[in-house]
Structures are given as C-alpha cells and as structure tokens.
Amino acid sequence: PLTIPKMKLPYTTTLTTPSVKDFSIWEETGLKEFLKTTKQSFDLNVKIQYKKNKDKHSIAVPLGVFYKFISQNVNSLDSYLENISDNVLDFLTTSYSKAKIKLDKYKAEKSLNTLPRTFQNPGYTIPVVNIEVSPFSVEMLPFSPVIPKAINTPSFTIPGSDFYVPSYTLVLPSLELPELHIPRNFFKLSLPDLKELSAINNIFIPAMGNITYDFSFKSSVITLNTNAGLYNQSDIVAHFLSSSSLVIDALQYKLEGTSRLTRKRGLKLATALSLSNKFVEGSHDSTISFTKKNVEASATTTAKVHSPVLRMNFKQELTGNPKSKPAVSSSVELKYDFNSPKLFSTARGAIDHKLSLESLTSYFSIESSTKADIKGVVLSREYSGT
C-alpha cells in the first residue's frame, strides 16, 4: 500500500495536499481484474526513422531579370536620395541658426532689463555636534530666475579642533549654442555598385524522404503492433498496419490501409482499407484519377457483421466516368438476419437500391430503383413485407 503524508505546496501559504494512507494501486485501479499477478513485465518499443532522398526539386526563379531591373534604376534612385539628403541638411542648419538667433536675442534683452540677483544665506551653528557653518550665496543669471551663474559654498569649522572645510566658488558655464559648421559633402549618400556574380535561375529543394514508424507492446495479457510508413519513390505510398493479440478473442483485430499516389500520365490516387475481427469485417477500395481530358472515380465498400444475434452483409459501389458523357452510378445491397431467443423475435430481409445519373448539354436523366423485403417474428407473431 502507498502512504503519502499531508504536504504544503511551495510558494503558497495555505494550500496543502491531502494525505493518502494505505492506497493500493493494485486494487483501487482495477489492475487485479486485468492482470494475472502483481509481478508483471512488458516490452515497449518505439522506433521512428527518416531516410533522406537524394533527389531534388528545381524551382525556376528568374533572378537575372531582377538584377537587370535594379542596375537600370540604381542611377535614378541615387540622384533621388542625394536630393533628399540635401533638403534634410538645409532644413536642419536653418532651424538651428534660427534657434541660436532667438536665444542670443532673449539673453541680451534680459541682461539689459534685469539686474543680476544674488541669494544670501546667513551663517549658523549646527546644534549637538557644534559645527559652525559660514554664510554662503548663489548668484543667478540675469535672464533666468532658476539657472545659477555662480555658487559660493559655505565653510565648516568645529571649535576646539583642527577640522576646517574652506569655502569654494563654483562658476557654472553659461547656456550658449555654438556656431554650427557642416561641410556640404558631409551628408553625401550614394548607393554601392551592383555587380551580378553569377546567374541563379533555379532554386533546388530536397525531395521528401521515407518516414517509418514502428510501435510494439508485449505483455502476458496483450500484444499490440503498429507500423506506419510514408514512402516517396516513383510513387508516393502511405501504409498503415495495426494488430492486437489478447486472451479474449473478441478484442483481437487487424487494421490495414494503403494509399498510393501515381504521377505518371496524370494523377491517380488509390486507397485500400480493411478491418478484420471476430464479429466485424470490412473493406474499402477507392480510385480517382485525373488526366488532361478526363476524370474517373470509383469506390467499393463492403462490411460483414456476424454476432450471436445479428448477421449482416453490406455492399456499396459508386462509379463516375465522364469520358463519353457525364455518368454516375450507385448501388447499395444490404442483407440481414436477426435472431434473439431472449426477445422472442426474428427478422430477415434484404434491401437493393440502384441509382444512375446521365447528363448532356441539352438534358439529364436520373433512374432510381429500390427493392426490399422483410420477414420475421415479434413475440411469437409473424409479419412480412416487401
């Protein structure tokens, strides 16, 4: 049995996991009903393989025409970029000169109309530590009430000791815009010369390779095998196969499917699928082909059910061929036999349905026919119909 105490989740304050005591995986999960003993062993194999293909697909890309177009238009594009750079340079230099003239004019007017202001702060003594601080001052610029011109820092003296910090005068640089001198060829912009090294007219893409997948599970009770593959050779083929082997015959099955794409003289896709089981059997075959002048399609599906109370055969065929004239035909056949002694009921019958469609430019015709019959017993009472 499995026992797990209560645990607090990390990075949380109140969340905890519930405690588990004497939990039997063998009994609680139902393994004892499925496996023979607690000592079970199994083999599990999974394999995926990809094999590269040496073939390549060529895609035509006319890069030579692109190179020629670029070389013919690079000169006009170069002159256009040069005009843009000259206009941008003229705009920047003109804007900068206007801003400098306005700033100098503003400073001159304020300096004439406004006297320099100086803020004085008296000296004082810091209590407890008994440090004497001398007076200090801040001189402001005449054209700005918030930008200082010079700052006279205070001096610090501690009486009875040799500690002394002298006063300093900090003169800040004035706000001025320097003269701007930009050479006319400083922003010269030109495109590089374009030279075609080699004519690349095709791009090669590797062709798809072969992919295979194998899965197998083996134990004392069940065996499962699955194989799948996608192969790119002269035709593109996809194959799938799955089968099981169990102690119970009703759960054994075999499922197989194949699809093939042929690329010779058009396209043709053929698909085949089959299923076999103790109670159910079925198959499906379909083909569709495309050519320059014609399209053909056909499909056949069959199914059989043979259980203790029901036996049934089903078949469907569908064909289409517009070679001489567009025509589609379909047929469905169903036969069944139901017998249940517990319900005191039996039923036996058959259904046959056929449909054909033909079409021309001036008219189209549809023919359909259905035949059915049934005979049986329900609660010891016989019935029949057609």
Side-chain angles (χ1 to χ4, degrees):
L2 182 64
T3 301
I4 301 176
K6 182 187 298 184
M7 292 184 297
K8 183 179 180 181
L9 295 178
Y11 307 106
T12 60
T13 57
T14 58
L15 297 179
T16 58
T17 60
S19 61
V20 178
K21 186 177 181 181
D22 298 334
F23 180 80
S24 176
I25 300 178
W26 174 258
E27 294 181 357
E28 298 297 335
T29 60
L31 291 177
K32 68 176 184 178
E33 305 294 338
F34 185 69
L35 303 178
K36 295 181 179 179
T37 64
T38 57
K39 298 180 180 180
Q40 294 290 329
S41 62
F42 63 88
D43 295 333
L44 176 64
N45 295 316
V46 178
K47 181 180 179 183
I48 301 177
Q49 185 178 8
Y50 177 78
K51 187 176 180 181
K52 294 193 294 185
N53 196 334
K54 297 180 180 180
D55 298 336
K56 296 181 180 180
H57 299 292
S58 177
I59 300 178
V61 179
L63 295 181
V65 179
F66 176 74
Y67 290 145
K68 186 177 180 180
F69 173 79
I70 292 296
S71 61
Q72 291 177 352
N73 293 274
V74 69
N75 294 330
S76 59
L77 183 61
D78 194 2
S79 61
Y80 177 73
L81 292 177
E82 186 176 355
N83 293 332
I84 291 179
S85 63
D86 293 339
N87 294 334
V88 171
L89 181 59
D90 292 339
F91 174 76
L92 292 178
T93 54
T94 304
S95 301
Y96 183 83
S97 300
K98 291 181 179 179
K100 186 178 184 308
I101 293 173
K102 290 183 178 180
L103 179 61
D104 294 341
K105 183 179 179 181
Y106 176 78
K107 289 170 58 179
E109 293 177 354
K110 287 293 183 179
S111 299
L112 294 174
N113 300 328
T114 306
L115 296 177
R117 290 178 294 177
T118 302
F119 295 96
Q120 297 286 343
N121 191 54
Y124 57 92
T125 301
I126 301 176
V128 181
V129 295
N130 197 24
I131 297 177
E132 295 181 356
V133 181
S134 66
F136 65 94
S137 62
V138 178
E139 183 181 357
M140 309 301 295
L141 290 174
F143 61 88
S144 176
V146 295
I147 301 177
K149 179 180 180 181
I151 301 175
N152 187 11
T153 63
S155 62
F156 299 91
T157 303
I158 300 177
S161 65
D162 296 335
F163 180 79
Y164 174 75
V165 178
S167 176
Y168 296 95
T169 300
L170 303 178
V171 179
L172 301 179
S174 61
L175 181 60
E176 294 182 355
L177 292 178
E179 295 290 339
L180 185 62
H181 300 283
I182 301 177
R184 299 303 301 176
N185 59 351
F186 183 75
F187 283 96
K188 185 175 179 58
L189 180 63
S190 61
L191 296 176
D193 295 334
L194 183 63
K195 184 178 180 181
E196 182 181 354
L197 299 178
S198 60
I200 303 176
N201 295 323
N202 293 7
I203 296 178
F204 295 94
I205 300 177
M208 183 186 68
N210 299 333
I211 304 174
T212 57
Y213 169 80
D214 298 318
F215 171 84
S216 64
F217 178 84
K218 296 180 181 179
S219 67
S220 59
V221 179
I222 183 174
T223 299
L224 295 175
N225 292 299
T226 301
N227 308 102
L230 182 61
Y231 308 95
N232 183 18
Q233 298 171 352
S234 59
D235 299 335
I236 298 178
V237 181
H239 183 261
F240 175 81
L241 175 62
S242 179
S243 61
S244 67
S245 176
L246 292 90
V247 179
I248 304 175
D249 295 339
L251 298 180
Q252 296 183 10
Y253 75 92
K254 180 180 180 182
L255 177 64
E256 184 175 6
T258 303
S259 184
R260 181 185 298 271
L261 179 62
T262 304
R263 294 167 289 182
K264 295 181 180 179
R265 291 178 295 181
L267 292 177
K268 181 179 180 181
L269 179 62
T271 303
L273 184 66
S274 63
L275 172 65
S276 60
N277 179 263
K278 181 178 180 181
F279 299 118
V280 180
E281 293 182 4
S283 64
H284 172 78
D285 296 288
S286 63
T287 303
I288 182 171
S289 60
F290 298 91
T291 60
K292 294 182 179 180
K293 299 181 180 180
N294 192 24
V295 178
E296 295 182 4
S298 63
T300 302
T301 303
T302 60
K304 294 182 179 180
V305 178
H306 34 79
S307 64
V309 297
L310 176 64
R311 295 183 178 274
M312 182 179 66
N313 292 333
F314 173 81
K315 183 178 181 181
Q316 181 188 27
E317 293 183 354
L318 176 66
T319 59
N321 184 2
K323 189 173 183 180
S324 58
K325 55 183 178 179
V328 177
S329 62
S330 172
S331 64
V332 178
E333 296 180 2
L334 176 64
K335 296 180 180 180
Y336 56 92
D337 187 355
F338 175 78
N339 188 355
S340 177
K342 294 183 179 181
L343 300 177
F344 304 99
S345 301
T346 61
R348 179 181 298 177
I351 299 175
D352 188 0
H353 173 74
K354 293 183 179 180
L355 173 67
S356 62
L357 171 64
E358 294 182 358
S359 175
L360 293 174
T361 57
S362 58
Y363 71 96
F364 69 93
S365 64
I366 299 176
E367 295 183 4
S368 177
S369 64
T370 303
K371 298 179 180 180
D373 63 87
I374 185 172
K375 184 178 181 181
V377 177
V378 176
L379 299 178
S380 300
R381 292 185 178 182
E382 297 184 357
Y383 66 91
S384 62
T386 55

